Amino acid sequence: MPLILRKHQLAHGIEEMVVDAPQVAAKAEAGHFVIVMADERGERVPLTVADYDRQAGTITLVLMVLGTSSRKLAGLRAGDNLHALIGPLGHPSPIAEYGTVVVVAGGVGTAPIYPIARSLHERGNRIISIQGARNAELVFWREKLAAVSDCHILVTDDGSAGQRALVTEPLRELLRTDPSIGCVYAIGPAPMMRACAETTRPQATRTIVSLNTIMVDGTGMCGGCRVRVGDRTLFTCVDGPEFDGHLVDWDSVLARQRIYHAEERCSLNRYVDEARKLEESQRA
Ligand code: FES
């Protein structure tokens, strides 16, 4: 079972773990993801490979603590084992020569955008990164992303770090003033990726998004991760996770993200309740 070598909090509610996974690290490329389970009854959680070290045989995963499964994962410590880890899965990012690439990261999207920006930069592209967060407390990997960017722009909703703006504002301005932009990458919450795709649509600038859908098997068999892209139904796990943002049916993506909200809330309430009872019994 994969051993967690290091784990620490990057920002409020955002955890980073470095996992011993030499076989995954040997094959991982920008854009790949893995599916992990915290315990044998745990949900299968897809997480992008945020970094990898082939020599050390490790991969880095970043997760936002939201529901039961992410809390279980966040509760693991260095020295603990994940119950399961499978990967790398999905298609790697299309790393080509685009000229100037704008990479847009929203919130925890900074983690998956980082290896893409690094690979595109190594390929000789000029990278402009726009990193957005709700506030300064939620900003992480700022220096790391800036190090693989020719220009780095930080925005927050409340102006507590960088400019007070949404990510689409500097993106719109760049598209207006820089004709060398050949591609835009946007990764973050679905509404943000949709807004970026709408911003680039008038100029038809190639826009790639990475979808983080519900997944079960991760191998194209369950259909849980299906998404409408243009006139086709595709599976995020085997056809993606990256798609043309102008062709994604965002209404269906958002609707499917909400499909299990009631069950997720129920599960979280039960988990919190059980954790509280356990804590009380240990104190007694
Ligand atoms: Fe089952 Fe993609 S996760 S088909």
Side-chain angles (χ1 to χ4, degrees):
M1 290 194 285
L3 177 67
I4 300 170
L5 298 171
R6 295 188 294 281
K7 181 172 161 290
H8 75 281
Q9 190 177 54
L10 288 174
H12 182 71
I14 300 174
E15 303 277 336
E16 172 185 312
M17 60 171 74
V18 177
V19 181
D20 183 44
Q23 290 177 324
V24 180
K27 298 252 172 83
E29 291 179 48
H32 276 142
F33 69 95
V34 294
I35 288 183
V36 299
M37 290 172 72
D39 59 43
E40 65 179 333
R41 291 175 58 214
E43 188 185 0
R44 296 163 185 231
V45 182
L47 293 171
T48 305
V49 179
D51 206 351
Y52 47 86
D53 183 331
R54 295 198 208 286
Q55 281 201 321
T58 60
I59 59 170
T60 301
L61 306 174
V62 174
L63 65 122
M64 180 170 245
V65 183
L66 286 173
T68 307
S69 301
S70 53
R71 282 185 189 224
K72 281 185 184 176
L73 287 167
L76 298 174
R77 302 187 179 162
D80 289 341
N81 293 92
L82 291 165
H83 178 71
L85 183 151
I86 179 173
L89 298 168
H91 290 284
S93 306
I95 304 301
E97 289 165 19
Y98 299 107
T100 297
V101 182
V102 181
V103 297
V104 188
V108 78
T110 297
I113 212 96
Y114 167 72
I116 296 169
R118 180 177 62 189
S119 296
L120 288 166
H121 195 248
E122 286 170 358
R123 187 64 184 263
N125 292 283
R126 176 172 165 253
I127 304 296
I128 302 175
S129 52
I130 303 173
Q131 183 176 7
R134 283 208 309 276
N135 57 52
E137 279 191 357
L138 297 173
V139 177
F140 67 95
W141 284 12
R142 179 181 183 172
E143 291 76 21
K144 198 166 165 160
L145 183 57
V148 295
S149 307
D150 296 274
C151 170
H152 177 262
I153 299 165
L154 178 65
V155 299
T156 49
D157 293 0
D158 63 359
S160 53
Q163 302 171 30
R164 179 179 183 155
L166 300 174
V167 290
T168 45
E169 295 171 56
L171 175 61
R172 189 173 295 110
E173 184 59 16
L174 285 165
L175 290 168
R176 193 180 67 78
T177 56
D178 190 339
S180 71
I181 296 170
C183 181
V184 171
Y185 251 97
I187 306 183
M192 181 222 99
M193 293 192 282
R194 177 187 214 167
C196 288
E198 291 313 318
T199 304
T200 59
R201 193 186 296 278
Q203 288 171 251
T205 307
R206 179 177 179 163
T207 300
I208 303 170
V209 298
S210 180
L211 299 183
N212 188 0
T213 56
I214 293 163
M215 289 194 193
V216 182
D217 60 292
T219 58
M221 290 192 285
C222 71
C225 65
R226 66 185 177 276
V227 58
R228 290 289 297 169
V229 181
D231 58 1
R232 297 193 298 163
T233 297
L234 299 176
F235 291 163
T236 304
C237 62
V238 290
D239 299 313
E242 295 178 1
F243 297 102
D244 182 336
H246 295 153
L247 296 181
V248 170
D249 177 347
W250 291 104
D251 285 338
S252 72
V253 167
L254 290 163
R256 286 185 65 75
Q257 278 188 346
R258 289 190 291 265
I259 211 165
Y260 295 117
H261 262 195
E263 288 84 354
E264 285 164 357
R265 213 171 20 246
C266 227
S267 164
L268 182 58
N269 288 343
R270 196 177 333 118
Y271 178 75
V272 170
D273 204 38
E274 283 171 8
R276 184 180 48 77
K277 281 183 186 153
L278 182 66
E279 207 180 300
E280 281 170 4
S281 73
Q282 282 170 342
R283 268 208 305 264

